[in-house]
């Protein structure tokens, strides 16, 4: 992996296909805490208690408080230039762009991204832990220990609990999401395939394995991160710094920087 100190750019040429993977680092400059930093989410909340199904079953009120606190905080946060740049690049590339995010904060959508796979779910969706009622939009905050029940199947007498539509550790990701990402990568490999990971520690699978899939398909592999993560050696180019500063300078169109506003 070369440590590329010039400000290299990814030229958005007519044959460029771009798959972007983002993690919590992309939202850090918007005020959303990351997970594994010294003041990260997992420092104050044991993962097994708040981000696993057994944890939810043991104490659903604690889990709802954890996600409700994150909902309340995220409502006050806005996209930063990193989010805005990725939305601008999508407008430029159209169906030659796909954003796979591990983030659940919704800031990519707020920035205008549409071609997006929320691999780990969304803070803004709730589903029943029992019946197959589809996930529904929900911004409610259950901070006082209440646990919401399903109004569809809960009437059968069993306490059917609602849960955040989040992929917890030990839970499978949505196979349709994974298939969409894989299909995109396969198609992209017939053009100039570029894979960019931004703001992720590269420790959580299967997201952390995407760089291997892309490299096997011949992609140029780029990483933009505040510090070298565990899987840094898997990338050909590593740009160290803040994503909100790197991304607006990273893409060029016809030789000119795209910036974060991009073309309307
Ligand atoms: C699954 C809930 C099948 C959502 C999350 C052993 C080996 C390999 C895998 C496993 C294993 N044992 C178990 C597994 C599977 C497990 C896993 O990968 N565990 C890891 C920890 C070893 N994966 C799963 O369970 C997945 N399911 O595989 O099912 C299975 C099941 C059981 C056993 C085997 C297989 C489910 C994964 C989803 C889990 N849910 N969270 C939520 O509450 O948000 S994951 C959680 O971590 C978040 O979703 C988060 O997105 C994700 C990754 O973290 P990052 O986004 O990378 O954030 P982090 O804080 O770590 O890093 C931020 C980075 O940004 C840092 O590097 C920092 O330097 C940088 N940064 C900071 N500021 C900036 C910046 N960069 C740029 N600019 C800045 N300004």
């Amino acid at each position: 992996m070369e440590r590329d100190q010039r400000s290299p750019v990814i030229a958005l040429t007519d044959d460029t296909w771009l798959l972007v993977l983002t993690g919590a680092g992309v939202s850090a400059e918007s005020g959303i805490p990351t997970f594994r930093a010294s003041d990260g989410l997992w420092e104050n909340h044991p993962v097994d208690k708040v981000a696993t199904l057994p944890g939810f079953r043991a104490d659903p009120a604690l889990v709802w408080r954890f996600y409700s606190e994150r909902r309340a905080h995220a409502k006050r946060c806005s996209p930063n230039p990193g989010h805005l740049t990725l939305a601008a690049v999508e407008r430029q590339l159209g169906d030659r762009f796909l954003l796979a995010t591990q983030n659940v904060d919704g800031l990519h959508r707020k920035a205008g991204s549409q071609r997006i796979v929320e691999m780990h779910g969304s803070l803004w969706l709730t589903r029943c832990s029992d019946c197959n009622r589809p996930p529904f939009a929900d911004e409610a905050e259950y901070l006082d220990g209440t646990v919401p029940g399903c109004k569809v199947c809960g009437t059968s007498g069993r306490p059917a609990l609602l849960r955040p539509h989040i992929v917890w550790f030990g839970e499978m990701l949505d196979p349709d999401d994974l298939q969409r990402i894989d299909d995109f990568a396969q198609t992209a490999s017939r053009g100039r395939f570029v894979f960019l990971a931004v703001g992720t520690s590269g420790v959580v699978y299967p997201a952390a394995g995407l760089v291997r899939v892309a490299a096997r398909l011949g992609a140029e592999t780029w990483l933009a991160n505040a510090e070298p993560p565990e899987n840094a050696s898997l990338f050909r180019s590593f740009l160290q710094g803040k994503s909100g500063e790197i991304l607006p300078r990273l893409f060029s169109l016809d030789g000119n920087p795209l910036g974060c506003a991009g073309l309307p």
Side-chain angles (χ1 to χ4, degrees), residues 184-246:
F184 181 86
Q186 297 294 335
T187 307
S189 64
R190 298 203 271 289
R192 176 205 172 209
F193 182 14
V194 178
F195 175 79
L196 167 68
V198 195
T200 181
S201 58
V203 298
V204 174
Y205 286 80
L210 286 182
V211 59
R212 290 182 198 275
V213 172
R216 268 202 303 273
L217 289 169
E220 295 171 35
T221 50
W222 295 68
L223 172 66
N225 211 59
E227 61 208 16
E230 279 193 19
N231 64 347
S233 61
L234 299 177
F235 293 84
R236 202 178 74 185
S237 302
F238 171 48
L239 305 167
Q240 185 157 0
K242 293 184 172 182
S243 50
E245 295 167 7
I246 291 177

Side-chain angles (χ1 to χ4, degrees), residues 59-83:
D59 190 346
L62 171 68
V63 173
W64 267 114
R65 212 169 12 254
F66 173 61
Y67 284 97
S68 296
E69 286 166 0
R70 290 173 65 190
R71 277 184 177 171
H73 182 76
K75 282 173 188 169
R76 300 193 298 272
C77 296
S78 302
N80 65 59
H83 297 105

Side-chain angles (χ1 to χ4, degrees), residues 155-187:
T155 52
S156 63
R158 271 179 323 149
L161 304 183
L162 294 181
R163 58 165 282 180
H165 184 57
I166 293 282
V167 181
W168 285 326
F169 286 98
E171 294 189 315
M172 302 297 282
L173 278 69
D174 183 333
D176 292 342
D177 285 348
L178 296 176
Q179 190 63 55
R180 183 177 178 198
I181 294 166
D182 192 55
D183 290 349
F184 181 86
Q186 297 294 335
T187 307

Side-chain angles (χ1 to χ4, degrees), residues 17-85:
W17 291 72
L18 176 62
L19 175 60
V20 180
L21 170 69
T22 60
V26 163
S27 294
E29 291 155 83
S30 296
I32 304 257
T34 62
F35 290 89
R36 295 170 181 84
S38 51
D39 58 345
L41 276 171
W42 296 152
E43 288 306 307
N44 309 311
H45 304 85
V47 174
D48 59 331
K49 293 198 173 2
V50 296
T52 64
L53 184 55
F56 176 73
R57 285 180 174 146
D59 190 346
L62 171 68
V63 173
W64 267 114
R65 212 169 12 254
F66 173 61
Y67 284 97
S68 296
E69 286 166 0
R70 290 173 65 190
R71 277 184 177 171
H73 182 76
K75 282 173 188 169
R76 300 193 298 272
C77 296
S78 302
N80 65 59
H83 297 105
L84 294 170
T85 299

Side-chain angles (χ1 to χ4, degrees), residues 149-160:
C150 178
K151 293 186 172 51
V152 173
C153 71
T155 52
S156 63
R158 271 179 323 149

Side-chain angles (χ1 to χ4, degrees), residues 12 14 87-94 96 253-254 258 262-263:
L12 300 178
D14 290 345
V89 171
E90 174 182 329
R91 286 193 293 273
Q92 191 54 43
L93 294 184
R96 290 185 282 118
L253 184 65
D254 304 331
L258 184 73
L263 299 173

